[in-house]
Amino acid sequence: MMHAFKRAWADMILPMWQRPKMVQVAALCYRETENGKQVLLVTSRDTGRWIVPKGWPIDGMNGAQAALREAWEEAGVSKADIETDPIGFYDYDKGLNDGLSTPVVAQVYLTRVRHIQDAYPEVGQRTRRWFTPKEAAQLVAEPALREILLSL
């Protein structure tokens, strides 16, 4: 009897209460140096934790184009080559203005940075810094994003 209840809970009741995941696009920005690859992380505006530039899809743009726009706004990436298909995905809970959160899946697009500017839309709201992929993996909170970083 208990097994039937657990199965009904997992298969029918719980999914009705869970919200579907929203989708965001993220740019995993990197550059080649004489010491190997470096990845660009920025701090989030609310908690100051290290993240990759990301945001909501933009009407009229595909995922890669929208991710590149986020890389400009959040990190000052003005010229880059971005892959058209995501190299991976990661889940996280996005904090909302009302104090609640919503589940999100972020599509990650590999972005080779060719030029970065010091003046960009969110320059006063975020810190940006280059890290080795291993260092970056130790700083981000999302396990699946860690794995993507370590795979570079």
Side-chain angles (χ1 to χ4, degrees):
M1 176 74 166
M2 184 55 92
H3 176 71
F5 176 74
K6 285 182 181 179
R7 184 163 177 85
W9 175 263
D11 292 345
M12 296 186 301
I13 298 169
L14 189 58
M16 289 190 297
W17 284 345
Q18 293 176 328
R19 292 178 282 178
K21 291 181 181 174
M22 305 283 290
V23 174
Q24 285 197 319
V25 294
L28 176 48
C29 300
Y30 77 96
R31 67 182 179 186
E32 297 283 350
T33 71
E34 60 188 34
N35 296 323
K37 282 185 181 161
Q38 291 183 325
V39 296
L40 185 63
L41 297 183
V42 297
T43 55
S44 67
R45 289 187 294 192
D46 53 354
T47 64
R49 64 189 175 86
W50 290 105
I51 61 171
V52 293
K54 66 182 176 309
W56 302 110
I58 299 171
D59 286 340
M61 293 184 177
N62 65 31
Q65 292 167 332
L68 196 54
R69 167 81 58 89
E70 293 299 327
W72 158 246
E73 291 176 0
E74 297 182 6
V77 174
S78 59
K79 292 183 185 174
D81 301 319
I82 190 165
E83 299 291 324
T84 56
D85 294 320
I87 62 163
F89 304 86
Y90 69 93
D91 296 321
Y92 77 104
D93 289 326
K94 168 89 174 145
L96 303 175
N97 292 337
D98 59 8
L100 299 175
S101 65
T102 189
V104 172
V105 61
Q107 303 172 345
V108 182
Y109 294 87
L110 191 59
T111 307
R112 182 175 180 193
V113 175
R114 298 217 176 262
H115 189 264
I116 195 166
Q117 292 190 15
D118 291 331
Y120 52 96
E122 297 181 15
V123 66
Q125 302 170 37
R126 301 176 186 273
T127 299
R128 69 176 180 194
R129 190 169 302 148
W130 292 100
F131 298 96
T132 67
K134 185 177 179 181
E135 290 169 333
Q138 293 171 347
L139 294 171
V140 299
E142 301 82 10
L145 180 54
R146 279 187 205 120
E147 292 302 317
I148 294 169
L149 288 163
L150 292 172
S151 72
L152 291 180

